[in-house]
Amino acid sequence: MRSLPSIIHLDMDAFFAAVEQASKPSLRGKPVVVGGLGGRGVVSTASYEARKFGVHSAMPMAQARRLCPNAAFLAGRFEAYRSVSELVMGLLRELSPLVQPLSLDEAFVDLEAGPYGALLAEAEHRTGERLVLALAEDLRADIHRRTGLTASVGAAGSKLMAKIASERAKPDGLVMIEPGQERAVLGPMPVRALPGIGPATEQVLRRAGLDSVADLAAAGEGELVQLLGKAHGTGVFQMSIGLDDRPVVADQDAKSVSVEDTFEVDLADRDRILREVEALAARCVRRLRGAGRSGRTVVLKVRRFDFSTLTRSETLRGPTDDEAVITETARRLASQVDVTGGVRLLGVGVAQLADYTQEDLFAQAVREEAAAAGHGHGDGPDEEAEADREEAASAARRWLPGQDVHHAEFGPGWVQGSGVGRVTVRFETPWSGPGRVRTFAVEDPALEPARPLPLRGSGGADGGGAEGGADGGGGADGARTEDGAGGG
C-alpha cells in the first residue's frame, strides 16, 4: 500500500447531459435527460437539474418523463461525447502515461509514473499530499477551461479508495483519503459499496448478518471464504480492510462488454427468464455506450441447475449499440435454450467491438421501422442490396431530438423534436446565446445532418440559461415552437 495518495480517479459530472448543456445554450440550467427515446428506452444520464425530480440513470425513460415532463429528452450524440472524452484523456496523459480509462467519462491516473513522480517520491509526507491536491485542482480547472464541464476527483493510495473518494466529491469537487484512513472510511459503508458485490452476493451476506463493510472485516477471511468461495471471499475481505494493490493499467482495450446475474433461486419460468434477459441486455447496452463502442456479436450465457454452462451467439450484419436490436437478439438466443430444471445464472454480452458511429444508429432505426411496418428485404440478394441503398438514402431524413443539423440559410442548430412530417430546430452554437426556433418539413432539402461543433473553452457550461428553454426538447411526440405550439 502506498504512503501517499498518488492514485486519482476522475469522473466527469453527468457527462452526456453536461455535454448537451455545454453544446446547447438554451438547455443550460435546465433538466436534461439523455437515453433511449423508444417505448423501452432507458436513461443513460440525467443532469443534476433532472435528478432533483428523482430521475437517474438506468431508469425507464417512460418513468423519467412522468417524473420530469418538462425536461429536454435527447438521443445520444456519441461522436460529440467521444470528442470531449479524447480531450479530457489527453489532459490526464499530461499528468502520467499510466491512465486507465474505464469509460468515456471516467479514468484512474497513477501520478507516481508521471513527470511529478520524482517530486512525490522525495517530498515530505504533507508536502506530497499538497502537491497531489494541487495537481488535481489544476486538472479540474484545465478541464473546465477547455470544455466548460465539471469533474469530480478522488485521490487516495489505491484504486478502491480513489473511486470512493471521487463519489464523495460529486458533484464538482475534490476529496482526498489519506493512507491509513481506509478502514475508518469504509467501515460504515454498506457492503454494496465494494466492487464485485452485486445483488446476489449482498443477499448471501445479509442472510449471514453482514450489512456493513465493518461487519465484513469483523467476520474475518475464513467466514467470507466459506460464504463466497476462496477467490471471491479473500478478495472481499482484503477490500473490507482497505487492502487494494491493483495497479493502474494504461489503455486497456476490452474485447467484449458483458453483464451477468446469479439468482438466489433457480429460474424455471421461461417468461421470467426472458424478462431477466431483457434487463441484462439493457445493462449491457449502457456499458457499451458508456465505453463509446458498438458491437457485432451478441452472446448469451446460461448456467443451468446442474452447473453446466452453455453459450449461444449471433453475429449481426454490422456493429450496433441499439438496445432494441441487442435485446431482441438476446431474447431469440434465450428462446432456443432448454431451461428444464431451472437456470441459476444468465449473462448477456456484446463482442467484436468497434468504435461507435452515429450513422449506425440512424440506419438501424430505419431497419426497425421497416420491419415493424412489414416491409421485409425480400429473399434475394438484389432485393436486399436495394433495401440497404434505400435505407442509407432515407436514414438522414430521420431526425432525432438533440441531433446536430445545418440549414443552408440559418446555419448550425439541433433538433428539438419531430412529428407529423415536421421537424423543429433550434439554431444556436456552443458559443452563442440561446437561439431561435424554426420548424421545417422533414424532407426540406436545405436541412442536413451535421457533425458536432467543438466546445469552446469556458464559454460552455457557465453560460446563462435561456428564456423558453427545455420544453421543446421532449422528443418525437410533436415538434414545438418557442411559444409551445405544436410544430406539426
Side-chain angles (χ1 to χ4, degrees):
M1 297 294 291
R2 301 185 181 204
S3 59
L4 275 178
S6 55
I7 293 178
I8 64 174
H9 177 262
L10 175 132
D11 197 351
M12 301 295 293
D13 297 323
F15 182 55
F16 294 172
V19 171
E20 298 299 344
Q21 290 176 317
S23 301
K24 302 171 171 62
S26 59
L27 298 186
R28 293 171 191 163
K30 305 294 178 67
V32 174
V33 181
V34 178
L37 303 182
R40 296 194 300 182
V42 175
V43 174
S44 293
T45 308
S47 70
Y48 285 96
E49 295 86 356
R51 295 181 192 189
K52 293 177 182 177
F53 292 86
V55 181
H56 57 78
S57 61
M59 172 181 285
M61 190 63 78
Q63 183 181 357
R65 289 184 185 274
R66 290 193 296 270
L67 291 172
C68 193
N70 291 325
F73 291 88
L74 308 177
R77 298 184 306 131
F78 288 89
E79 183 179 356
Y81 309 150
R82 177 171 286 281
S83 175
V84 177
S85 174
E86 288 172 352
L87 191 155
V88 171
M89 296 301 167
L91 292 173
L92 296 183
R93 292 186 182 95
E94 292 178 9
L95 290 176
S96 172
L98 285 186
V99 175
Q100 182 177 345
L102 304 180
S103 63
L104 289 178
D105 61 338
E106 187 180 1
F108 288 109
V109 184
D110 186 344
L111 295 177
E112 289 186 1
Y116 297 94
L119 285 176
L120 289 170
E122 297 170 1
E124 182 266 339
H125 185 75
R126 290 298 175 192
T127 303
E129 289 184 348
R130 286 195 294 269
L131 177 57
V132 170
L133 287 173
L135 292 171
E137 283 290 15
D138 286 348
L139 171 65
R140 295 177 63 246
D142 285 344
I143 289 172
H144 188 267
R145 177 176 57 83
R146 297 287 298 278
T147 68
L149 307 182
T150 63
S152 299
V153 175
S158 68
K159 290 166 70 172
L160 169 66
M161 300 310 297
K163 170 78 168 166
I164 288 172
S166 71
E167 288 292 328
R168 290 188 162 198
K170 281 191 164 292
D172 191 19
L174 168 61
V175 168
M176 173 182 286
I177 297 176
E178 298 181 14
Q181 296 299 308
E182 290 87 357
R183 294 190 69 168
V185 171
L186 289 169
M189 300 180 77
V191 295
R192 284 290 295 274
L194 297 181
I197 295 184
T201 301
E202 180 186 28
Q203 289 303 313
V204 172
L205 295 172
R206 282 192 170 175
R207 286 199 300 270
L210 307 175
D211 297 313
S212 69
V213 177
D215 293 337
L216 299 179
E221 183 174 357
E223 183 174 349
L224 294 179
V225 166
Q226 195 170 27
L227 288 170
L228 306 177
K230 184 170 179 56
H232 194 26
T234 299
V236 167
F237 174 71
Q238 289 178 341
M239 286 190 293
S240 74
I241 60 175
L243 295 178
D244 177 23
D245 59 0
R246 292 174 299 160
V248 176
V249 181
D251 292 329
Q252 288 183 317
D253 189 17
K255 293 181 173 59
S256 64
V257 172
S258 64
V259 296
E260 62 183 43
D261 270 344
T262 301
F263 304 102
E264 188 174 350
V265 177
D266 291 353
L267 305 183
D269 179 72
R270 184 171 291 278
D271 289 340
R272 168 72 189 283
I273 291 171
L274 293 177
R275 289 197 300 270
E276 294 291 345
V277 167
E278 290 177 358
L280 287 165
R283 285 168 51 194
C284 183
V285 168
R286 290 196 295 274
R287 286 194 180 183
L288 192 67
R289 291 178 172 177
R293 309 298 292 276
S294 61
R296 194 174 176 209
T297 299
V298 179
V299 181
L300 177 77
K301 176 180 177 181
V302 179
R303 181 167 297 150
R304 294 185 285 202
F305 70 99
D306 58 358
F307 287 89
S308 62
T309 302
L310 57 86
T311 59
R312 296 287 185 270
S313 65
E314 181 176 327
T315 298
L316 308 174
R317 288 194 303 168
T320 186
D321 74 343
D322 189 284
E323 183 177 331
V325 173
I326 292 171
T327 299
E328 183 56 37
T329 305
R331 279 180 55 93
R332 187 162 56 249
L333 293 170
S335 67
Q336 301 168 5
V337 175
D338 180 8
V339 298
T340 305
V343 170
R344 62 182 296 106
L345 177 147
L346 287 169
V348 173
V350 177
Q352 287 190 268
L353 300 186
D355 286 346
Y356 180 91
T357 58
Q358 179 107 2
E359 290 75 14
D360 290 343
L361 179 57
F362 294 163
Q364 188 63 65
V366 172
R367 283 196 290 273
E368 290 171 20
E369 289 179 352
H375 303 306
H377 288 159
D379 297 325
D382 292 340
E383 293 181 8
E384 182 171 335
E386 179 62 27
D388 286 343
R389 286 192 291 272
E390 291 176 359
E391 288 167 5
S394 63
R397 296 292 100 186
R398 187 174 190 269
W399 306 110
L400 299 178
Q403 178 185 350
D404 295 289
V405 296
H406 188 277
H407 191 274
E409 179 180 355
F410 302 110
W414 58 278
V415 175
Q416 282 200 166
S418 64
V420 202
R422 311 290 287 175
V423 55
T424 298
V425 177
R426 187 181 287 272
F427 290 97
E428 60 187 8
T429 68
W431 50 90
S432 73
R436 176 85 181 270
V437 174
R438 300 179 184 273
T439 300
F440 309 92
V442 294
E443 298 294 339
D444 190 327
L447 188 67
E448 295 290 342
R451 301 286 299 277
L453 294 171
L455 304 183
R456 283 192 177 178
S458 59
D462 52 358
E467 296 295 325
D471 293 352
D477 297 329
R480 300 166 76 87
T481 58
E482 283 183 305
D483 62 2

